[in-house]
Structures are given as structure tokens and as C-alpha cells.
Amino acid sequence: MSRKKSKTTRFGEEPQAPNAFGALDALGKLPEGPEDPGPSVVAKTSGRGQKNTQRGRVDIVRQTAHRGGKAVTIVKNFTGIGLSEKQELAKKMRKACGVGGTVKDGCIEIQGDKREEVKRILTDAGFNPVFSGG
């Protein structure tokens, strides 16, 4: 039978960790950082600081093929938009529609026929949504 080893603790003492920034003091005077870092991503605004409302046309398609008869809303033909922003838009759409969805092959897929809700979100984001297909 094994015994549990008792842990010895010292009251009033904290474990001493090496100071990671201690070596920086020996370097002397270091240059100052930037004064105003500002926003790191300015993709949603135009050059004058106004919201960009001309981000291009996107197609909204309702599809049922290969899905067991269930409808899926697909948003495709994004231009000049990265994967992270597509995932952000998909998250907003999922939350507003109350359904699941994903980003596959550069397209946003939302479960169910939610074309009107998706159109409203894309219009707010500055896109020009167009219904196409069935």
C-alpha cells in the first residue's frame, strides 16, 4: 500500500520565479514604442474613415441537392475578403438566424432557408447581396 506524501508548505513565502525582464535593465535606454498604435484592421472603412458600403456583389443561393431534401442557404462570390472575416460574418448569421452553419470552400453555408436574414446582415456589412439560383 502506498503512502501519500505530505506536501510541505512554508507560510508567508511565495515561490521565487526568475525575473524575465531583468536582463532588459542591463541594456540601458531602449527606444520608445509607437505613441498611438491605432486599430490593426481597417478593412471595413474607406480611406476617409467612413463605412465602406461598396464591397461588391455576393450571391445568395438556396440549395437542397445532396442534403436529404433539407434547404441550405449559401453565400458565395466574395471578392477581397479574407477567411477570418468570412468566419466573423458566418458567426453573425448563425446567431441572428438561430441555426448552424460553416465556411466551406470560400462560401458561407447556413442551415435552412434564411435568405432574408442573411441579406439583411450582408447589407449592413456593406455588400450588395443578390438572390440567384433556386
Side-chain angles (χ1 to χ4, degrees), residues 41-46 50-59 76-86 88-89 92 121-129:
V41 177
V42 191
K44 294 183 181 180
T45 58
S46 65
Q50 299 170 349
K51 189 169 183 177
N52 190 355
T53 58
Q54 302 297 324
R55 300 187 71 190
R57 171 187 162 154
V58 293
D59 295 332
K76 56 185 173 180
N77 295 337
F78 287 99
T79 55
I81 179 174
L83 179 63
S84 62
E85 193 170 353
K86 286 179 191 173
E88 201 174 301
L89 277 171
K92 286 181 186 177
I121 293 169
L122 289 171
T123 304
D124 291 344
F127 291 98
N128 182 18

Side-chain angles (χ1 to χ4, degrees), residues 54-105:
Q54 302 297 324
R55 300 187 71 190
R57 171 187 162 154
V58 293
D59 295 332
I60 300 174
V61 181
R62 183 181 57 92
Q63 212 178 57
T64 58
H66 307 290
R67 301 182 192 278
K70 308 271 178 149
V72 175
T73 303
I74 298 178
V75 184
K76 56 185 173 180
N77 295 337
F78 287 99
T79 55
I81 179 174
L83 179 63
S84 62
E85 193 170 353
K86 286 179 191 173
Q87 290 173 340
E88 201 174 301
L89 277 171
K91 187 174 183 179
K92 286 181 186 177
M93 291 175 193
R94 289 192 310 253
K95 192 167 186 173
C97 298
V99 296
T102 187
V103 178
K104 282 187 185 174
D105 301 325

Side-chain angles (χ1 to χ4, degrees), residues 1-17:
M1 193 179 263
S2 65
R3 288 183 166 184
K4 290 185 179 178
K5 294 183 179 179
S6 64
K7 295 181 180 179
T8 59
T9 58
R10 298 180 189 175
F11 296 103
E13 290 186 21
E14 293 184 18
Q16 295 292 327

Side-chain angles (χ1 to χ4, degrees), residues 104-122:
K104 282 187 185 174
D105 301 325
C107 300
I108 298 175
E109 296 183 3
I110 301 295
Q111 295 175 352
D113 186 6
K114 305 290 183 180
R115 290 179 288 180
E116 293 299 325
E117 293 93 337
V118 168
K119 180 180 179 181
R120 180 185 51 82
I121 293 169
L122 289 171

